[in-house]
């Protein structure tokens, strides 16, 4: 190749790289600006305890109305009956909606809470299951720092053989070879990209996939498969982990003897007054 042509090709490659780096920096700056503004709005949102309380007061009327509305959008079977999704308050979001999660919200309740499209929840769960079953238990771990998810996470781990970290995830446990408890992982499951940001960051460094439960106030940077849902309440977290565990065990021919209520607790609807 003539020297002049090679120099021209090299210059083009450098220019392309420069443009790519500039675009990446611009997008990162924009993302950081959005998150900074968003933090101020989150202060006005409901607490985890308030969301948990509301999630425990799903009336029979709400179950029936939501199920009726969803059946207009969905053809065929869902992973669990629509009524069970609603009883578990999986569809209840927060008062704040991030730009990343807006597409999964189809309305707001009278109290200001966003309502997540249950059809989207079911579809995204199926996508997450398709990714999950590509791996063996020893290649996966689950992290759940939020207390509402500790009990369901424990049952998930016991039933699937997948390692689970509750309360605290040891930073660097999958990236720092010198740590005594270091282990290699191919897939990470987290219950909130903000609360569980340490395992999210570690997995991103390794360029490995992440499945995450994401509420309406979450940002999804570095998340591979989103499961849009209420990730603040025990019933909802339990419902999602039950489905993931059941489908994983089914695909891997592992005996699975748990019911939905083993993960969520009792699911009796609140009577209409």
């Amino acid at each position: 190749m003539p020297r002049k042509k090679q120099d021209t090709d090299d210059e083009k490659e450098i220019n392309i790289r420069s443009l790519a780096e500039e675009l990446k920096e611009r997008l990162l700056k924009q993302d950081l600006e959005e998150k900074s503004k968003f933090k101020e709005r989150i202060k006005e949102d409901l607490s985890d305890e308030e969301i948990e309380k509301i999630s425990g007061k799903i009336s029979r009327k709400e179950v029936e109305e939501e199920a009726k509305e969803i059946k207009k959008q969905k053809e065929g079977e869902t992973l669990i009956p629509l009524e069970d999704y609603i009883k578990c308050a999986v569809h209840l979001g927060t008062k704040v909606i991030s730009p990343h999660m807006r597409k999964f919200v189809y309305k707001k309740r009278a109290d200001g809470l966003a309502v997540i499209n249950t059809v989207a929840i079911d579809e995204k769960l199926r996508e997450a299951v398709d990714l999950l079953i590509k791996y063996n238990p020893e290649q996966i771990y689950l992290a759940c720092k939020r207390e509402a998810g500790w009990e369901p996470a424990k049952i998930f781990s016991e039933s699937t053989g997948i390692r689970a970290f509750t309360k605290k995830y040891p930073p660097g446990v999958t990236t720092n070879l010198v740590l005594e408890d270091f282990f290699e992982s191919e897939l990470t499951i987290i219950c909130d990209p903000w609360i569980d940001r340490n395992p999210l960051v570690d997995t991103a460094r390794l360029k490995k996939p992440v499945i995450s439960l994401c509420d309406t106030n979450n940002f999804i940077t570095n998340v591979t498969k989103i499961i849009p849902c209420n990730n603040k309440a025990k019933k909802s977290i339990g419902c999602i982990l039950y489905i993931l565990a059941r489908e994983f065990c089914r695909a891997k021919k592992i005996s699975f003897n748990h019911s939905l209520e083993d993960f969520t607790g009792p699911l009796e609807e609140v009577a209409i007054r």
Side-chain angles (χ1 to χ4, degrees):
M1 180 186 292
R3 177 79 184 193
K4 189 173 182 181
K5 187 176 186 307
Q6 185 173 350
D7 288 346
T8 304
D9 290 344
D10 289 344
E11 286 172 8
K12 283 181 180 178
E13 187 176 342
I14 290 168
N15 287 336
I16 290 169
R17 284 180 185 172
S18 298
L19 286 170
E21 287 171 6
E22 184 182 338
L23 179 60
K24 188 176 178 181
E25 286 177 9
R26 196 181 300 169
L27 289 171
L28 180 61
K29 184 180 178 182
Q30 185 179 340
D31 193 43
L32 289 171
E33 286 174 354
E34 281 183 352
K35 286 181 179 178
S36 179
K37 292 175 185 175
F38 202 68
K39 281 179 183 177
E40 295 302 313
R41 291 179 61 200
I42 284 179
K43 290 176 184 176
E44 303 168 9
D45 208 349
L46 298 179
S47 67
D48 286 8
E49 292 75 18
E50 288 171 312
I51 296 287
E52 179 77 70
K53 189 174 180 181
I54 293 169
S55 298
K57 292 182 177 179
I58 303 295
S59 71
R60 189 176 297 112
K61 182 180 179 182
E62 185 171 351
V63 172
E64 291 170 355
E65 288 178 351
E66 283 295 324
K68 186 178 178 181
E69 184 64 33
I70 295 159
K71 283 172 183 174
K72 294 177 184 176
Q73 308 170 46
K74 178 73 176 176
E75 292 182 6
E77 295 294 317
T78 48
L79 289 165
I80 60 172
L82 288 170
E83 291 78 4
D84 286 343
Y85 274 128
I86 300 160
K87 287 178 191 176
C88 292
V90 172
H91 63 303
L92 289 187
T94 66
K95 287 188 174 182
V96 177
I97 305 171
S98 78
H100 292 179
M101 295 300 294
R102 189 172 291 121
K103 62 184 176 183
F104 300 113
V105 175
Y106 84 100
K107 70 177 183 179
K108 276 202 167 191
R109 300 193 338 166
D111 58 7
L113 285 181
V115 177
I116 303 167
N117 188 325
T118 311
V119 173
I121 296 172
D122 191 76
E123 288 173 351
K124 289 297 178 180
L125 261 169
R126 290 177 188 275
E127 291 179 15
V129 167
D130 288 343
L131 176 60
L132 180 63
I133 62 177
K134 291 179 180 178
Y135 300 91
N136 293 322
E138 65 275 10
Q139 297 177 297
I140 311 165
Y141 73 90
L142 164 71
C144 182
K145 189 175 181 180
R146 180 170 277 117
E147 186 174 355
W150 293 353
E151 190 176 339
K154 182 183 176 184
I155 301 170
F156 175 89
S157 179
E158 290 171 351
S159 59
T160 61
I162 293 170
R163 186 191 314 241
F165 293 99
T166 56
K167 301 180 184 179
K168 185 178 180 183
Y169 163 85
V173 72
T174 58
T175 57
N176 191 340
L177 291 166
V178 302
L179 292 179
E180 188 178 340
D181 51 358
F182 168 83
F183 68 94
E184 292 186 81
S185 173
E186 295 298 323
L187 175 67
T188 303
I189 307 168
I190 57 175
C191 292
D192 188 311
W194 173 246
I195 300 294
D196 299 316
R197 58 190 174 277
N198 285 336
L200 177 61
V201 169
D202 278 358
T203 309
R205 284 175 183 161
L206 295 169
K207 300 189 184 328
K208 302 290 186 182
V210 177
I211 294 171
S212 178
L213 282 63
C214 295
D215 213 325
T216 60
N217 63 356
N218 283 136
F219 279 79
I220 60 172
T221 307
N222 295 322
V223 174
T224 313
K225 291 294 179 184
I226 306 158
I227 303 174
C229 65
N230 170 0
N231 64 8
K232 310 290 189 294
K234 178 187 173 182
K235 287 197 302 182
S236 179
I237 297 171
C239 177
I240 299 297
L241 293 185
Y242 163 76
I243 294 170
L244 292 177
R246 186 192 68 183
E247 296 303 309
F248 181 81
C249 289
R250 183 177 291 169
K252 299 296 181 182
K253 304 291 190 282
I254 300 171
S255 176
F256 185 77
N257 302 311
H258 291 282
S259 68
L260 175 59
E261 290 189 334
D262 289 339
F263 281 75
T264 64
L267 291 177
E268 295 178 8
E269 306 99 327
V270 177
I272 304 168
R273 294 181 181 178

